[in-house]
Amino acid sequence: MTSSRSIARHLPWIAVAGLGALAAGGMAIQRGEQVNALWLVVAALSVYLIAYRYYSLYLAHSVVGLDPARATPAVRHADGLDFVPTDRTVLFGHHFAAIAGAGPLVGPVLAAQMGYLPGMLWLLAGVVLAGAVQDFLVLFISMRRDGRSFGELIRLEMGPLAGTIALIGAFMIMVIILAVLALIVVRALADSPWGMFTVAATVPLAILMGVYTRWIRPGRVGEVSVLGLIGLILAIVYGQTIAENPATAALFTFSAVQLCWILIGYGAVAAMLPVWLLLAPRDYLSTFLKIGAIVALAIGIAIMQPELRMPALTRFVNGSGPVWSGALFPFLFITIACGAVSGFHALIASGTTPKLIASETDARFIGYGAMLAESFVAIMALVAASILDPGVYFTMNAPTALLGTTPDSAAAAVTAMGFPIDAATIAQTARDVGEHSIISRAGGAPTLAVAMAQIFSHVVGGKAMMAFWYHFAILFEALFILTAVDAGTRAGRFMLQDLLGLISPRLKDTQSLAANALATVLCVAAWGFFLYQGVTDPLGGVNTLWPLFGISNQMLAAVALMLGTVVLFRMKRQRMAWVAMAPAAWLVLCTGTAGLLKLFSADPRVGFLAHAAKFRAAAADGELLAPAKSMADMQRIIFNDMVDAALCLLFLLVVVSILLLAIRACLDALRRDAPSAHETAVAA
Amino acid sequence: MTNWLRPFRAARRMMQAMVGLPSYDAYLAHMASEHPDREPMDYRSFFRDRQQARYGGKDGGRCC
């Protein structure tokens, strides 16, 4: 009786598994012809549901043993402010909004150069076995320790040295993230007066919203966001008028280098303004726009049911791709960063969320579930990139060094890659989205915007609305990237002050205006350096910065999973610790290999040192290599390569030292007879 | 109370949670039950306090 009932319980899940297998099978059979994107979406959703139902249950019950009777920090420290027991659906929204950013949208678009299949497989396998496990474990660990932050958790369980190393690593990751995000904005807005006007308009708009929420109608977030949204739509509509008039268009046309300096100046000023004036109101807009756009994209794909035009595998799996260099292993796993596994989530999962969980068992839905949702966003981005004409995709993402700058040269180059396209199609696509040119708009965001414009205009407005939707998509991405730049500069400043405090206590004083300004300027200078380097790179900058970002982000994930391993050993649950050890080992393998290749590969397109050597040899012969126009440029490129190499080496050292400290902590835990995890004691 | 308002309330609560604004009602309830001797902040002060806490501190980092 009970056994038949318990089998019946699994029946719906067997049906879900069958559906997923059918969808995947459908894709496999139709290989060679064009596959409907809906198959991919259905297969992904089935995998998520099964993984959530079974694997996350195993993690929650057997591996860590969530205990509904154990009071959470939100209950024990309830203060109505920082610690508030929160409904789990509402908290899911809070947590998802905090983890979803530009990463899951951009990474899969870049990964599509190898075809949709490798990206799809890693997004699914990665999230189920690594990404969601990491988010869940960190949330669990922090929740059992009064909601402590990631750095504190590492210090607590692995010692002060590991804590400091992790802090340095996290700061460098922040710097690279800010640089790469800013680079995406630069690539999207360069020579685009329409885009530039709409994004620039968000600054006074946000300030008006800030004044409104501060004094006119304090705290009316929904109200002010509706007003802000109306302002945004007006900005997009008037942006077209601005762009069509040559006189006003000139005012908003900037080269990539000019935009780079504008962003650096903006970052420094914005990070020192009071938060209510610019940061908070723009965060409201960008959060709601982001969630709205994600939902709209899902609905759009379901209605349009587009065909995937990108092949399942392209010939670039061998590493010869124009968008980014390097072979499938390890570079695909570095390129698809956030949608599969993102180390940065360890900082979010040990931030505000653990202080709001009402019951321990909610951690499964929030930690594991929200990451599955993030992976689904990445799957949609992959679908979006793959429904484009592959010719258009490579026209937008290959560097100008390969394509030249005219539709004719680009069409010839992309056709030669094996993706036939004619110049008229390139020119027409640019006209459709209201831009002068779509050639070499690297960085992922513009590609996604073209795809979103195709999907949205299919549902609402037809071809006439395509330019509007393109700029809507650009605005939505730029808006939350700018929010991240602003908030990240602030957070980076605090991290830096913590680190500087180790040298001189006076620099740690967050009340001191001079210490704050110094830390802000240092932080902006750090990401500004990498941004400038990326903007002036003839290969588009993404080629250099995105792998650095991917390596650092995945390494942070490896560190988080090592923390999970140590905690499981300390809880005397080492028999189940493989759930964290296996993905940690895989990530160390991927990032270690990628880091070593970035350092020592003999191919100058991949290895920083080989690239530097090539330029050094040329400089010694008195030759100039593009993009250098003078010997000073040559020296600067060599210097940049050395900095990138040093950074890569630093990341490798961080991960190796944390690995050694984690092994030491595990051995220490094994030697003890009793559990040695530092959980906060809770009265029974 | 009126049932048809409930979905709107839930949506509002969700939107507030997404931008890190805790429930003011929950704060008032907490103050009334735990600290009846203390005057709770009015909504304006509560909002400003939470805005500063979310964006002014170390937790300001948004994800990539």
Side-chain angles (χ1 to χ4, degrees):
Chain A
M1 186 67 188
T2 41
S3 80
S4 72
R5 198 181 293 158
S6 73
I7 289 172
R9 232 173 23 154
H10 295 282
L11 279 179
W13 299 100
I14 294 171
V16 172
L19 185 65
L22 193 75
M27 286 170 66
I29 292 165
Q30 293 178 53
R31 285 276 298 281
E33 38 196 306
Q34 285 182 351
V35 178
N36 196 298
L38 227 45
W39 288 114
L40 199 156
V41 172
V42 169
L45 285 175
S46 310
V47 170
Y48 296 146
L49 286 171
I50 297 287
Y52 182 76
R53 168 62 180 78
Y54 292 99
Y55 192 51
S56 79
L57 186 69
Y58 171 70
L59 292 173
H61 276 243
S62 309
V63 176
V64 303
L66 293 182
D67 177 5
R70 191 182 171 116
T72 60
V75 174
R76 277 182 286 118
H77 303 294
D79 62 1
L81 299 170
D82 291 314
F83 293 87
V84 189
T86 305
D87 174 80
R88 68 188 211 133
T89 316
V90 171
L91 187 53
F92 182 93
H94 170 82
H95 188 69
F96 176 70
I99 62 172
L105 294 173
V106 171
V109 172
L110 300 178
Q113 81 158 337
M114 291 191 171
Y116 64 81
L117 198 58
M120 175 193 171
L121 292 178
W122 172 237
L123 279 172
L124 296 181
V127 75
V128 167
L129 298 173
V133 177
Q134 175 217 253
D135 288 23
F136 168 75
L137 283 178
V138 174
L139 183 61
F140 162 76
I141 293 167
S142 179
M143 177 177 76
R144 284 266 171 107
R145 287 158 186 77
D146 291 328
R148 281 202 177 84
S149 72
F150 187 60
E152 290 171 327
L153 295 173
I154 298 234
R155 197 175 310 142
L156 195 65
E157 299 294 341
M158 294 162 69
L161 179 61
T164 304
I165 293 172
L167 208 58
I168 295 173
F171 175 72
M172 290 318 298
I173 291 164
M174 187 70 115
V175 166
I176 290 294
I177 286 177
L178 294 180
V180 83
L181 289 179
L183 179 69
I184 292 169
V185 173
V186 167
R187 290 275 167 239
L189 298 185
D191 302 314
S192 165
W194 188 345
M196 184 62 198
F197 171 78
T198 51
V199 173
T202 63
V203 175
L205 188 64
I207 290 177
L208 285 177
M209 288 170 66
V211 169
Y212 187 92
T213 42
R214 187 77 176 175
W215 287 301
I216 301 173
R217 298 265 292 162
R220 306 290 162 181
V221 173
E223 207 173 285
V224 80
S225 298
V226 171
L227 293 175
L229 186 65
I230 295 170
L232 283 185
I233 292 171
L234 289 177
I236 300 175
V237 172
Y238 280 102
Q240 184 168 23
T241 321
I242 298 274
E244 279 167 357
N245 179 339
T248 47
L251 287 176
F252 290 95
T253 304
F254 295 98
S255 72
V257 176
Q258 286 171 320
L259 275 173
C260 164
W261 288 111
I262 292 174
L263 264 178
I264 289 173
Y266 165 84
V269 173
M272 285 193 274
L273 290 177
V275 294
W276 57 264
L277 185 61
L278 182 58
L279 174 58
R282 214 195 18 228
D283 183 50
Y284 303 152
L285 271 186
S286 68
T287 303
F288 300 142
L289 209 56
K290 172 175 75 188
I291 302 292
I294 288 170
V295 172
L297 188 58
I299 296 173
I301 290 175
I303 294 179
M304 186 182 177
Q305 302 177 8
E307 307 257 285
L308 298 173
R309 298 171 71 183
M310 183 66 81
L313 287 170
T314 70
R315 64 189 183 85
F316 298 131
V317 286
N318 65 6
S320 62
V323 185
W324 43 276
S325 331
L328 191 137
F329 178 84
F331 288 104
L332 177 84
F333 307 97
I334 304 303
T335 303
I336 296 189
C338 306
V341 47
S342 170
F344 218 76
H345 294 186
L347 306 183
I348 310 285
S350 60
T352 48
T353 310
K355 301 183 181 119
L356 300 172
I357 292 189
S359 161
E360 273 209 350
T361 44
D362 292 352
R364 175 185 167 207
F365 176 57
I366 290 154
Y368 200 93
M371 182 60 201
L372 292 180
E374 162 121 331
S375 176
F376 184 62
V377 173
I379 286 281
M380 290 197 296
L382 182 67
V383 165
S386 306
I387 64 167
L388 290 177
D389 178 345
V392 170
Y393 173 86
F394 285 102
T395 302
M396 294 192 73
N397 288 288
T400 41
L402 286 178
L403 298 181
T405 49
T406 66
D408 288 312
S409 64
V414 173
T415 304
M417 286 176 205
F419 300 95
I421 187 165
D422 54 32
T425 312
I426 294 177
Q428 183 58 43
T429 308
R431 262 198 305 280
D432 285 346
V433 298
E435 287 291 311
H436 299 302
S437 164
I438 55 159
I439 298 165
S440 194
R441 290 218 171 253
T447 311
L448 186 66
V450 169
M452 284 172 75
Q454 288 191 358
I455 295 169
F456 289 168
S457 66
H458 178 89
V459 179
V460 182
K463 205 146 196 179
M465 284 281 280
M466 214 161 142
F468 176 87
W469 287 123
Y470 172 82
H471 288 92
F472 171 82
I474 288 286
L475 179 66
F476 128 79
E477 292 172 277
L479 199 60
F480 71 69
I481 287 179
L482 284 181
T483 311
V485 166
D486 184 343
T489 302
R490 275 173 209 274
R493 186 192 95 190
F494 279 109
M495 285 186 197
L496 195 60
Q497 282 188 307
D498 269 357
L499 286 171
L500 289 174
L502 297 173
I503 305 166
S504 157
R506 276 177 53 205
L507 295 174
K508 202 179 178 174
D509 181 9
T510 50
Q511 300 300 313
S512 152
L513 207 63
N516 286 352
L518 175 72
T520 304
V521 168
L522 282 178
C523 191
V524 172
W527 64 255
F529 169 81
F530 290 101
L531 173 62
Y532 185 79
Q533 175 193 336
V535 165
T536 52
D537 180 349
L539 292 175
V542 172
N543 196 36
T544 316
L545 286 182
W546 192 264
L548 272 179
F549 158 68
I551 290 174
S552 62
N553 193 31
Q554 306 301 82
M555 277 191 173
L556 191 61
V559 170
L561 286 163
M562 286 187 230
L563 170 70
T565 308
V566 168
V567 168
L568 288 173
F569 270 73
R570 288 205 181 284
M571 292 171 82
K572 289 284 169 202
R573 289 172 180 262
Q574 62 269 19
R575 274 184 35 241
M576 268 95 76
W578 62 269
V579 298
M581 282 162 85
W586 170 250
L587 290 178
V588 169
L589 184 70
C590 282
T591 55
T593 315
L596 289 173
L597 284 174
K598 277 301 202 195
L599 272 174
F600 299 119
S601 167
D603 179 357
R605 278 165 26 95
V606 175
F608 292 127
L609 293 178
H611 191 262
K614 180 176 150 192
F615 274 72
R616 209 175 274 134
D621 296 343
E623 274 178 63
L624 293 180
L625 297 177
K629 295 189 179 67
S630 67
M631 269 305 146
D633 284 356
M634 295 290 284
Q635 293 307 326
R636 201 168 42 78
I637 289 167
I638 295 168
F639 176 71
N640 287 348
D641 281 331
M642 298 316 281
V643 171
D644 294 344
L647 196 63
C648 227
L649 188 67
L650 181 81
F651 288 144
L652 283 171
L653 288 177
V654 165
V655 79
V656 168
S657 48
I658 296 277
L659 177 63
L660 293 176
L661 290 164
I663 292 172
R664 196 184 68 170
C666 288
L667 292 176
D668 171 66
L670 280 178
R671 272 195 300 271
R672 293 167 192 267
D673 297 326
S676 53
H678 298 78
E679 293 184 352
T680 310
V682 179
Chain B
M1 250 233 308
T2 39
N3 258 341
W4 61 272
L5 271 176
R6 282 186 64 189
F8 292 96
R9 289 242 167 77
R12 199 179 79 168
R13 190 69 271 285
M14 180 67 101
M15 284 174 72
Q16 289 174 339
M18 281 175 168
V19 294
L21 185 63
S23 156
Y24 183 57
D25 291 340
Y27 165 75
L28 287 182
H30 170 82
M31 290 304 280
S33 70
E34 303 297 318
H35 311 286
D37 50 320
R38 278 194 251 159
E39 181 72 19
M41 289 185 270
D42 61 8
Y43 183 67
R44 176 194 284 239
S45 317
F46 173 81
F47 175 74
R48 288 185 177 182
D49 178 84
R50 288 299 89 199
Q51 208 177 36
Q52 189 61 36
R54 174 175 166 87
Y55 300 101
K58 288 181 196 177
D59 285 337
R62 218 42 42 76
C63 210
C64 35

